[in-house]
Amino acid sequence: MITVTGQCVAAFVFGTTVGVLVQRSRWCNTAALRDAMLFKSYRNTKALLVGMMILTLGFTGFITVGNGNPMRFDVGLNQFIGLFLFGIGMVLAGACTVSSWVKTGEGNIGALWALLFLIIGMFAFSLVWSSTYWPPAPAAMTGQPNLSGLQFGFADALTLQQKTGIPAIVFGLVQFAALFGLYRAILRKERAMQEARGQVPAATSRSSSSRAPAAMPETAVGAAMAGGAGAGGSLQEEA
Amino acid sequence: MELFKKTLDPIIALAIIALLDVFLFLIVGAWTVGGGETMIAGLVAKYVLGAKTLARIPFWSLVFTPTWAYWKIYISLGMGFGAFVAAVLSKEFYWRVPRHLSEWVMITIGGLLMGIGIRMSFVCNVSTFFGLTPEMNLGGYLAVSGIVAGAWVGSLIYKRVLEA
């Protein structure tokens, strides 16, 4: 059993390593979704999928043998609605929870501003929650469906294993295969795009310019939006 | 050191992070950021408003009681520290300030929406992609659906703003 101090030290060492790796790789979760949707650019998306594949095997593997600390709280519509709002916010801010810390560490005042208002947003929600008590506090959750609270109960690889008797790793392998299929589909799409560019460069050039924002060429927007330097604020700096 | 001279392949970076996250899952819990940020919000509120005033807001006693002894805070602080060290060593640290009012407005609204979204859902993007979904938690699939839909709407808004 690890002590509280040990937990905090382990978390800090992990966080520091993540900070170094994300800063050096210019990886960004916001870009993983936004660039795939807007620019058909998958650099960050592929890395996200590789990470998820490794984690799926690791987590479900250890859950199978009774190890690990899975998150436990009821699942509800609040997860969909909350992350929907979060998704809009991260694209507007040009940074997610990871890149806002990483970019702040690089000296980006816009990212620090995003963090400040993220904290203000959390505090504002705490005031609203104290009147509505929705969604239910994790301590009040039972793991059973509570439809009046828009909660569906609790389910994960461990509950699947307990209810079906099938090892969690089997379900993990199914999810791994689905993620790998998505990864391969992206690779195929990238190859097709490269071939199309090589065969008809003039047509590609025309279609690119017609889709790009008027203020800057698409390549510049894509590079600026790829999350390399700065929250949304850095877009014009790089253009 | 080569790491600080050229950009690292993000696939290698995320593979290393995922392996470390598996170890973190074994000793304390999967990587998450929103919980630590909420605790930081509580600690800031406690400092600004005072413990007595904060105690009158039920959220800060029923859901999150502000304390520094919460491991998730140190993931966030570590990320900022690690990025600062990496940026300095690779000579990439410099002050960047948004130049246009529209950028400040978008970052402000974006930050608020992220904060509200995290608290409403009890999860952030990190626990969605690097915790709940790999644990095959139903909440992870709902959260992924939400964040993808939100990012799509956000991208449309962002594109409009850039084109204006």
Side-chain angles (χ1 to χ4, degrees):
Chain A
M1 186 70 183
I2 187 168
T3 62
V4 171
T5 307
Q7 291 177 352
C8 295
V9 170
F12 187 75
V13 171
F14 174 81
T16 302
T17 312
V18 169
V20 171
L21 291 170
V22 171
Q23 199 280 331
R24 294 313 304 138
S25 66
R26 330 296 303 174
W27 182 77
C28 177
N29 198 169
T30 307
L33 300 177
R34 180 197 56 204
D35 292 359
M37 291 172 187
L38 275 184
F39 304 112
K40 310 297 176 210
S41 167
Y42 302 100
R43 175 185 184 270
N44 293 282
T45 319
K46 286 186 293 183
L48 174 67
L49 289 171
V50 168
M52 290 177 75
M53 281 188 264
I54 293 170
L55 287 170
T56 298
L57 290 184
F59 288 176
T60 56
F62 281 111
I63 286 172
T64 303
V65 293
N67 285 330
N69 297 281
M71 286 183 233
R72 286 196 70 89
F73 50 80
D74 286 4
V75 171
L77 269 190
N78 57 306
Q79 260 99 42
F80 179 84
I81 301 167
L83 264 293
F84 177 76
L85 295 176
F86 183 95
I88 296 173
M90 75 175 188
V91 173
L92 293 185
C96 62
T97 51
V98 180
S99 48
S100 53
W101 283 99
V102 170
K103 289 169 183 175
T104 297
E106 289 178 320
N108 190 312
I109 301 299
L112 182 62
W113 190 257
L115 269 180
L116 176 67
F117 276 86
L118 182 145
I119 285 172
I120 292 172
M122 286 177 163
F123 185 75
F125 187 80
S126 78
L127 297 176
V128 175
W129 188 90
S130 299
S131 306
T132 62
Y133 291 91
W134 186 86
M141 293 175 174
T142 60
Q144 300 302 315
N146 164 21
L147 295 181
S148 62
L150 303 176
Q151 300 291 300
F152 308 134
F154 178 76
D156 69 357
L158 182 60
T159 60
L160 279 174
Q161 177 174 278
Q162 288 165 344
K163 285 189 178 164
T164 63
I166 299 169
I169 187 69
V170 175
F171 299 106
L173 284 168
V174 173
Q175 177 160 295
F176 177 89
L179 291 168
F180 186 66
L182 192 55
Y183 183 82
R184 285 198 61 187
I186 287 175
L187 290 183
R188 276 200 299 272
K189 187 162 188 174
E190 281 184 331
R191 212 171 298 127
M193 283 161 63
Q194 279 170 357
E195 283 171 9
R197 243 180 256 135
Q199 285 163 4
V200 280
T204 307
S205 164
R206 275 198 301 276
S207 79
S208 290
S209 59
S210 65
R211 280 191 292 122
M216 58 185 96
E218 187 186 38
T219 47
V221 179
M225 292 180 93
S234 71
L235 288 173
Q236 275 72 8
E237 286 174 29
E238 292 204 358
Chain B
M1 198 174 169
E2 200 64 21
L3 176 64
F4 300 109
K5 286 181 184 162
K6 60 181 184 184
T7 304
L8 181 66
D9 184 339
I11 290 179
I12 293 172
L14 266 287
I16 296 170
I17 290 172
L19 290 173
L20 293 173
D21 191 16
V22 172
F23 283 106
L24 197 67
F25 171 76
L26 285 174
I27 60 172
V28 58
W31 180 23
T32 174
V33 182
E37 288 177 337
T38 307
M39 199 56 91
I40 292 171
L43 290 165
V44 171
K46 191 176 171 183
Y47 179 77
V48 173
L49 302 174
K52 280 186 181 174
T53 308
L54 197 66
R56 289 206 290 269
I57 306 171
F59 179 89
W60 300 106
S61 54
L62 295 175
V63 185
F64 275 88
T65 307
T67 170
W68 283 104
Y70 188 61
W71 61 277
K72 294 175 184 175
I73 294 175
Y74 300 94
I75 294 182
S76 298
L77 298 180
M79 288 192 301
F81 174 70
F84 171 72
V85 171
V88 169
L89 291 177
S90 56
K91 298 183 174 61
E92 288 177 3
F93 182 91
Y94 58 94
W95 298 110
R96 304 163 172 91
V97 183
R99 292 182 198 163
H100 304 280
L101 179 63
S102 62
E103 295 173 69
W104 285 104
V105 171
M106 281 205 298
I107 295 169
T108 304
I109 295 171
L112 285 171
L113 286 175
M114 284 197 288
I116 293 167
I118 287 174
R119 283 292 20 107
M120 182 181 285
S121 58
F122 288 118
V123 294
C124 63
N125 63 309
V126 171
S127 38
T128 294
F129 289 110
F130 301 97
L132 291 175
T133 307
E135 289 169 14
M136 303 190 71
N137 187 309
L138 177 60
Y141 303 122
L142 282 171
V144 166
S145 312
I147 199 170
V148 168
W152 182 69
V153 172
S155 296
L156 294 180
I157 298 170
Y158 206 24
K159 204 173 173 189
R160 280 272 173 90
V161 172
L162 280 176
E163 286 172 342

